[in-house]
Amino acid sequence: MRNKKRWGAAFALIFFLFCVSCQNSAKAATMHLVKAEGTVGVSDEEGAAVEVRENLGLYSGYRMETETESYAWINLDQVKLTKMDAESRAEIHKNGKQLEIFLHAGSLFFHVTEPLGEDETLEIHTSLMLVGIRGTCGWVECIDSSHARVYILEGTIECSAADESGETVSVSGGEMAELINGEITVSPFDESQIPLFVREELLEDEALQRETDDASGPETDDTSRRETD
């Protein structure tokens, strides 16, 4: 009888450890810090520092921070790719197929190469704005506590104010949404407004570059002169 109890307890412990292992694997899913350039910091959900290395697995609750002239590339599941600009802070949360990125400071480029399934969600949050993404490309800027922007290079997103008004607008390729003091406006933008950290990604993807050129307006003379110089 005692042996049966021991075996029962041992089996229960093994089963518990197996379940915990499965849960941790599910949390990590296929999220990875695939590349870091310059000084990039990573911490876990408890705030403890995590050693940065190539293809570092990321778990729900992990935080990333980039310093001056530093960048971080995050692969969320092969079809959801992001890049953090210099001097940016972000945090990721994942629950099953529901993924959230909280941008606390700086800018974040995103490129979803395949439309999300009906049971999947990807949302980028700032303190002011919520951006719902299904299959598109662009970047989000967290400027300060009362000012945020999202630019769309390809596809369409839903952008909502993160206050009691919940005002929501649709933003398509070649358009930007700007939220200042709770008010959202949508307007077109041109190629001269695309920041360097985004341009670098477009140059790596010729097809996306062509689609971006079609969606956004012509580059201004001022920008052409700056790049020539």
Side-chain angles (χ1 to χ4, degrees):
M1 194 68 180
R2 290 177 181 173
N3 286 338
K4 287 184 178 180
K5 288 183 178 179
R6 289 195 188 101
W7 278 112
F11 178 79
L13 177 60
I14 291 170
F15 181 76
F16 171 76
L17 293 174
F18 175 77
C19 290
V20 169
S21 175
C22 289
Q23 287 173 356
N24 286 340
S25 298
K27 285 182 180 179
T30 52
M31 302 188 296
H32 292 86
L33 176 66
V34 292
K35 186 171 69 169
E37 182 179 302
T39 303
V40 176
V42 178
S43 59
D44 63 20
E45 64 273 20
E46 303 296 330
V50 177
E51 181 182 359
V52 175
R53 63 178 184 276
E54 189 173 304
N55 210 36
L56 172 68
L58 302 174
Y59 292 78
S60 182
Y62 270 37
R63 305 175 186 92
M64 286 73 64
E65 183 171 357
T66 57
E67 296 189 8
T68 304
E69 297 182 3
S70 303
Y71 308 91
W73 288 259
I74 302 168
N75 184 331
L76 299 171
D77 64 359
Q78 303 303 319
V79 299
K80 303 183 189 75
L81 310 173
T82 63
K83 178 185 179 182
M84 292 175 62
D85 194 11
E87 300 183 36
S88 297
R89 289 185 291 112
E91 181 177 339
I92 56 175
H93 286 267
K94 190 174 192 304
N95 182 14
K97 295 184 179 181
Q98 318 308 308
L99 180 62
E100 295 177 299
I101 303 174
F102 292 84
L103 182 64
H104 299 301
S107 301
L108 179 78
F109 169 75
F110 58 87
H111 186 193
V112 180
T113 57
E114 294 180 11
L116 273 62
E118 291 298 323
D119 59 344
E120 293 182 276
T121 62
L122 172 58
E123 296 178 341
I124 299 177
H125 299 253
T126 73
S127 60
L128 302 171
M129 178 185 290
L130 186 155
V131 178
I133 299 166
R134 301 214 61 81
T136 187
C137 178
W139 73 98
V140 177
E141 297 178 350
C142 181
I143 299 167
D144 57 39
S145 60
S146 62
H147 194 180
R149 300 190 190 107
V150 57
Y151 295 77
I152 301 303
L153 296 166
E154 177 192 20
T156 300
I157 59 99
E158 294 291 318
C159 174
S160 302
D163 59 17
E164 62 277 3
S165 74
E167 181 184 358
T168 299
V169 296
S170 292
V171 190
S172 298
E175 294 181 330
M176 60 166 284
E178 184 169 35
L179 194 153
I180 303 177
N181 295 322
E183 294 187 8
I184 301 179
T185 58
V186 178
S187 60
F189 70 93
D190 61 47
E191 190 178 346
S192 68
Q193 294 172 267
I194 302 176
L196 180 59
F197 90 105
V198 173
R199 286 176 179 270
E200 291 172 344
E201 299 309 301
L202 300 182
L203 291 173
E204 294 290 326
D205 190 329
E206 293 183 1
L208 180 58
Q209 176 70 69
R210 288 194 297 271
E211 291 171 359
T212 299
D213 290 342
D214 292 340
S216 59
E219 189 170 10
T220 64
D221 292 340
D222 288 343
T223 302
S224 299
R225 284 199 296 270
R226 284 199 301 271
E227 293 192 342
T228 302
D229 295 341

